[in-house]
Amino acid sequence: MASDYKGDYQELVDEISELLGAPATLENRDFELIAFGAYDSEGDLDPSALDPVRTRSILTRRSTAAVRTWFEGFGITRASGPVRIPPTPEAGVYRGRICLPVRHRGVVLGYVWLLEDDPGPTDAQLTAAMRVTERIGALLADEAQAGAGLSRELRAVLTAESGWQRDMAVGELRAALGPRAAAPHTLVCVAPWPSADPEEAPSARTVPHATALCTVAWGATTQSLAVLVRLRSADVRAPALTVAARLLKEAEGARGAAVPASTRRAGPGAAVAAGVGEPRSGLAELGALWQEASAAARAALAEPRFGPVAEWRGIGPYRLLTALPPGAAHDPVAGPLLSPVHQELARTAEVYLDRAGQAGRTAAELGIHRQTLYYRLSRVEQLTGLDLDDGEDRLLLHMALKRARL
């Protein structure tokens, strides 16, 4: 969707820059950068023009919540004409701004910004620029309507309760996307997503490579974010990984504080993770793709070595474990080991099985003597009734311990 509108926004912002004789920027109402007009005149690239707020907006394509609140304090959400904002160095605003609210049918949808200069634009120039913002507002409204439609259609595909419902939903999504529907796609699952309100989900336009996104239930009380990512090739999954990393950062920020990478990788109890499904051409297998992306996210939340972004192809036995019905997936054989008093024994058994029953590697990883390892393994056998020299018993215990992580 972004590719359909980006060029139009750029042309309109460039038109305003030409009218005003100064570079202008266009942001949506959430202060996410849409387009930047680089007016070609001497001095426009003066480093003094790039105060911290302007620099961050251009480089990261968004402003902080504090900056947004500060600017909104000047009444830009209610204004129907240009608003002049004075320089405030303590807020990182070294030069004054002129804000042109972008409205459609009375609703503010974005803002055009330019730096205040001397002598600055005339009233006639600003009036002409405001007429251009009306065209931008109509374009933003059209894009918002199209994006909301894609969100509804994607959610319908992922939440369909029967095959014929999913087929109908896929058909509607395919029709909405047109020729783009035939390209290779994958799905990204970010879970848990911090808000259940669809209005608080990011816009697909602000997420590079995203075609559509929506929220989907994740358990009984939380939500996940599903993102449809179009790829140039099924063999090049980098765009999906980029989307996952960006949205993880956004989810962590929405929780109120950034979570260090070391914490995100701390296995069970990690705050948020992302999963990526196996790319496919077209949209026919979106249901299977969503199951893969969800499974990979669950594995990333459960297993330190997978997070914070996991691809379905790389989660090993969790490809099978995540497909098991929740009620049927817990074998009682591991029950005694999962009590708090036996956590050390469970950890010993899992590492031993992860290391293919090699005592030397297991003892080294756990930092214990071999005799200690053998004693612990004998206790595991006593508690579970399993024979760790038997391949099937080892497989059963290994899967039961891995399943417990989910």
Side-chain angles (χ1 to χ4, degrees), residues 67-79 81-88 91 93 97 99 113:
V67 167
R68 172 179 173 175
T69 300
W70 188 82
F71 277 122
E72 288 177 343
F74 289 92
I76 61 175
T77 61
R78 303 181 300 276
V83 177
R84 283 184 160 83
I85 298 173
T88 310
V93 180
R97 304 285 204 277
C99 174
W113 299 92

Side-chain angles (χ1 to χ4, degrees), residues 48-386:
S48 67
L50 299 178
D51 61 29
V53 169
R54 187 176 178 86
T55 300
R56 188 184 194 281
S57 174
I58 293 173
L59 294 181
T60 69
R61 307 194 69 83
R62 64 188 305 135
S63 296
T64 65
V67 167
R68 172 179 173 175
T69 300
W70 188 82
F71 277 122
E72 288 177 343
F74 289 92
I76 61 175
T77 61
R78 303 181 300 276
S80 57
V83 177
R84 283 184 160 83
I85 298 173
T88 310
E90 59 269 28
V93 180
Y94 295 162
R95 293 180 59 180
R97 304 285 204 277
I98 299 178
C99 174
L100 309 181
V102 177
R103 310 184 82 89
H104 181 72
R105 296 180 178 176
V107 178
V108 64
L109 299 179
Y111 308 98
V112 172
W113 299 92
L114 60 146
L115 296 173
E116 186 81 90
D117 212 341
D118 190 16
T122 64
D123 289 343
Q125 286 176 305
L126 290 174
T127 298
M130 286 300 298
R131 285 196 290 268
V132 180
T133 68
E134 295 174 4
R135 290 151 58 195
I136 295 175
L139 198 62
L140 283 169
D142 183 63
E143 183 187 7
Q145 183 175 7
L150 286 178
S151 293
R152 287 193 300 269
E153 288 149 4
L154 178 60
R155 185 181 294 107
V157 173
L158 303 184
T159 59
E161 295 181 356
S162 64
W164 68 267
Q165 288 178 329
R166 179 172 288 112
D167 290 343
M168 288 183 60
V170 168
E172 292 176 1
L173 181 58
R174 184 182 290 115
L177 291 175
R180 293 177 293 165
H185 286 87
T186 190
L187 279 167
V188 173
C189 171
V190 182
W193 189 249
S195 173
D197 184 355
E199 295 297 324
E200 295 185 10
S203 165
R205 178 186 38 75
T206 64
V207 182
H209 313 298
T211 297
L213 51 78
C214 66
T215 54
V216 180
W218 180 266
T221 60
T222 56
Q223 298 284 313
S224 62
L225 186 71
V227 190
L228 182 64
V229 180
R230 185 174 54 165
L231 307 173
R232 292 185 178 181
S233 165
D235 297 326
V236 180
R237 301 180 303 281
L241 301 178
T242 299
V243 167
R246 178 189 178 109
L247 290 173
L248 276 176
K249 184 176 181 181
E250 186 161 335
E252 290 160 358
R255 288 173 180 273
V259 179
S262 59
T263 302
R264 291 202 310 265
R265 295 173 184 271
V272 63
V276 181
E278 194 70 6
R280 290 167 172 80
S281 294
L283 306 176
E285 297 185 72
L286 282 186
L289 248 178
W290 179 238
Q291 291 176 0
E292 293 174 0
S294 300
R298 290 177 65 197
L301 288 168
E303 192 66 82
R305 56 195 172 92
F306 294 143
V309 179
E311 296 184 72
W312 184 81
R313 64 169 56 187
I315 61 175
Y318 286 96
R319 288 159 60 161
L320 296 176
L321 292 173
T322 53
L324 293 173
H330 299 282
D331 193 285
V333 71
L337 291 181
L338 299 178
S339 65
V341 71
H342 293 313
Q343 284 183 345
E344 190 176 74
L345 292 179
R347 168 66 175 156
T348 299
E350 187 172 4
V351 173
Y352 176 70
L353 295 169
D354 285 344
R355 299 296 169 264
Q358 297 182 33
R361 292 177 61 195
T362 304
E365 181 167 335
L366 294 173
I368 60 176
H369 193 275
R370 280 202 187 200
Q371 288 304 121
T372 303
L373 171 63
Y374 293 139
Y375 170 75
R376 290 184 184 177
L377 294 177
S378 69
R379 288 282 295 133
V380 169
E381 291 181 323
Q382 292 171 10
L383 288 169
T384 62
L386 297 176

